[in-house]
Amino acid sequence: MRFSLGSRKLSLKARLIWSYLVILGIGGLATSMVGSWIVSSTIMTQARRAVDHDFATARTVYEQQLLALKLPVQFAASGATVQQCLASGDWRSLAAYLERIRQDAGFDFLTLTDARGGVVLRVAQPGRAADDASSSGVVKAALSGKVAAGTEILPAGMTLMAAAPVEATGGGTLGALYGGVLLTGN
């Protein structure tokens, strides 16, 4: 038997127990780390999917709102009533017709411009006219002959807005009809 003063030999039983504990510790630590990574990545993937879904839903709702604005504006602008009232100068009938459109569509405002974008009739504020709406992107598109809708920033606040060209019977654009809903406070 050899005895050294500085070292003690462990019995076989103690070595086996010690080895078993080391293996369990390393295995448990590795399992915990892998498990934490899997749970973390799964949670992040689900969160990303939820955010993507919410954005897609919001985009769909936004596009549906714009379509709901475009259709009544396009209908009113393309009908004969607006052209006939403009040709005859019957502002009272035109204002009454457009006010019905505004109320039925749920617009906060509905405005008619001339071919250059100058306001000729504001349905919600009939006495206020002669200002210029040609700087609005959707009005510009309508004056160029396209139906358009989008989000605009106006002095009263952010709005969802749609515009359509009012075309002359012989061709050309008489002006634009635009309306919208204020998002401020909504």
Side-chain angles (χ1 to χ4, degrees):
M1 263 201 204
R2 286 196 291 187
F3 282 99
S4 64
L5 293 173
S7 67
R8 265 172 86 185
K9 288 194 172 186
L10 295 175
S11 69
L12 180 61
K13 184 177 179 182
R15 280 190 284 170
L16 286 174
I17 291 174
W18 180 250
S19 298
Y20 180 73
L21 289 175
V22 168
I23 290 171
L24 279 178
I26 291 172
L29 183 62
T31 302
S32 294
M33 290 173 59
V34 169
S36 293
W37 177 79
I38 289 172
V39 168
S40 165
S41 78
T42 301
I43 289 171
M44 290 305 293
T45 300
Q46 288 177 344
R48 268 188 242 118
R49 283 184 187 153
V51 168
D52 290 344
H53 180 266
D54 290 347
F55 277 133
T57 301
R59 183 74 173 168
T60 300
V61 169
Y62 174 74
E63 289 171 357
Q64 290 298 318
Q65 288 291 330
L66 291 180
L67 181 62
L69 296 174
K70 281 168 77 170
L71 292 176
V73 169
Q74 186 176 12
F75 170 76
S78 64
T81 305
V82 173
Q83 289 126 349
Q84 289 170 355
C85 290
L86 282 173
S88 68
D90 188 359
W91 295 102
R92 178 173 281 151
S93 295
L94 180 59
Y97 172 72
L98 292 178
E99 178 60 22
R100 283 192 308 274
I101 299 288
R102 185 187 74 79
Q103 288 178 0
D104 289 346
F107 290 137
D108 290 321
F109 59 91
L110 187 60
T111 304
L112 180 65
T113 73
D114 61 18
R116 293 172 305 183
V119 174
V120 294
L121 176 64
R122 287 186 191 282
V123 178
Q125 300 171 330
R128 192 170 159 240
D131 54 328
D132 186 20
S134 64
S135 63
S136 164
V138 294
V139 172
K140 280 181 189 176
L143 291 173
S144 71
K146 299 174 191 158
V147 178
T151 304
E152 295 272 341
I153 304 294
L154 300 176
M158 189 182 330
T159 64
L160 291 180
M161 198 163 113
V166 177
E167 296 181 3
T169 52
T173 302
L174 294 173
L177 181 65
Y178 70 92
V181 177
L182 289 170
L183 295 177
T184 307
N186 185 346

